[in-house]
């Protein structure tokens, strides 16, 4: 199981990079707010010890994002959509990415935000644009109490899975302090896959919380394997 960590908790990017390895992570997902010149230089310095599974970008600046993603040797670039009118631009981004040998993914929104939040909407986007799926489990949980349909329906298009806990309407909590077992379907479906599981926590948490989440996730995987 590949477990990465998102820079969503990196309030100090340099401190985050210097300490991420100490907590057992050697891959990260980078949020768009951290794609600054000084941070890119730090990433170059740490490139031998830290891999990059995904890079968040804005659809309107997709050429720049694809350039950065390629320079950082990221596995995929992902974007958020706000409406169906974004699909034409997404198709252009996917076409450009294909020319560069890259993959573009779309992340599912929480139900309260809206499109695309449903599994069928994500499936349609993937089939009609050629984009992949970055599955945010907490967002999926706001849509359905059991995320098994998301997992099974989108398995072939999924390139990354954001994992966190969920409790009383709040997601992106450290794994182990909420419902927790709602994550079992992704562990069962992808336990032998090379797809990265990305610990994605609210910004108020720290690398210690990410490490606890990683530890709990690994223990959950062991239990799933024994079934």
């Amino acid at each position: 199981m590949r477990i990465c960590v998102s820079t969503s908790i990196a309030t100090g990017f340099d401190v985050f990079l210097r300490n991420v390895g100490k907590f057992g992570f050697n891959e990260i997902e980078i949020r768009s707010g951290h794609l600054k010149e000084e941070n890119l230089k730090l990433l170059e310095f740490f490139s031998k010890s830290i891999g990059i599974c995904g890079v968040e970008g804005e659809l309107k600046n997709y050429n720049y994002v694809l350039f950065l993603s390629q320079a950082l040797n990221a596995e995929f670039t992902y974007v958020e959509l706000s409406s169906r009118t974004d699909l034409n631009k997404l198709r252009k981004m996917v076409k450009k990415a294909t020319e560069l040998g890259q993959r573009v993914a779309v992340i599912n929104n929480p139900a309260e935000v809206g499109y695309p939040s449903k599994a069928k909407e994500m499936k349609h986007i993937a089939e009609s644009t050629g984009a992949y799926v970055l599955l945010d489990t907490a967002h999926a949980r706001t849509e359905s109490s059991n995320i098994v349909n998301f997992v099974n329906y989108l398995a072939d298009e999924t390139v990354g899975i954001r994992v966190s806990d969920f409790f009383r309407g709040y997601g992106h909590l450290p794994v182990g302090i909420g419902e927790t077992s709602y994550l079992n379907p992704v562990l069962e479906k992808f336990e032998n896959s090379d797809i990265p599981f990305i610990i994605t926590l609210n910004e108020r948490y720290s690398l210690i919380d990410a490490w606890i989440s990683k530890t709990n996730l690994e223990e959950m995987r062991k239990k799933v394997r024994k079934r």
Side-chain angles (χ1 to χ4, degrees), residues 154-217:
L154 302 172
D156 291 340
E157 290 82 15
T158 300
V159 292
I161 303 171
R162 279 184 171 179
V163 289
S164 63
D165 222 328
F166 186 93
F167 184 69
R168 294 185 178 179
Y170 293 96
H172 301 150
L173 306 175
V175 176
I177 68 171
E179 297 177 2
T180 310
S181 60
Y182 91 98
L183 294 171
N184 282 337
V186 297
L187 293 170
E188 293 168 357
K189 188 72 174 183
F190 296 102
E191 69 159 321
N192 296 317
S193 170
D194 194 43
I195 291 175
F197 284 69
I198 306 166
I199 303 295
T200 306
L201 306 181
N202 185 283
E203 62 182 6
R204 68 176 176 270
Y205 294 106
S206 68
L207 276 169
I208 294 176
D209 300 297
W211 174 77
I212 292 172
S213 297
K214 179 177 181 291
T215 302
N216 287 337
L217 199 65

Side-chain angles (χ1 to χ4, degrees), residues 106-162:
V106 173
I107 189 168
N108 55 307
N109 285 330
E112 60 268 24
V113 173
Y115 182 88
S117 63
K118 302 179 184 298
K120 288 185 177 181
E121 292 172 336
M122 297 297 291
K123 185 74 170 183
H124 174 261
I125 290 170
E127 293 179 340
S128 64
T129 68
Y132 293 88
V133 171
L134 173 59
L135 178 61
D136 188 306
T137 55
H139 291 178
R141 175 61 185 82
T142 67
E143 187 68 45
S144 175
S145 58
N146 189 335
I147 66 172
V148 67
N149 287 334
F150 275 86
V151 173
N152 291 334
Y153 205 52
L154 302 172
D156 291 340
E157 290 82 15
T158 300
V159 292
I161 303 171
R162 279 184 171 179

Side-chain angles (χ1 to χ4, degrees), residues 43-103:
L43 285 168
E44 183 179 3
F45 180 81
F46 286 97
S47 60
K48 291 184 178 180
S49 59
I50 300 175
I52 299 171
C53 60
V55 174
E56 179 187 39
E58 295 181 344
L59 189 57
K60 63 181 180 181
N61 299 321
Y62 72 81
N63 279 313
Y64 175 66
V65 175
L66 289 174
F67 167 76
L68 282 181
S69 183
Q70 188 175 44
L72 294 169
N73 197 31
E75 290 185 29
F76 60 85
T77 304
Y78 71 94
V79 294
E80 293 184 13
L81 303 185
S82 57
S83 71
R84 289 172 176 80
T85 59
D86 289 335
L87 293 181
N88 285 334
K89 181 162 282 191
L90 178 62
R91 290 187 183 94
K92 293 179 181 178
M93 182 179 185
V94 170
K95 181 180 179 180
K96 181 68 174 180
T98 302
E99 294 172 358
L100 297 172
Q102 295 186 297
R103 294 185 293 179

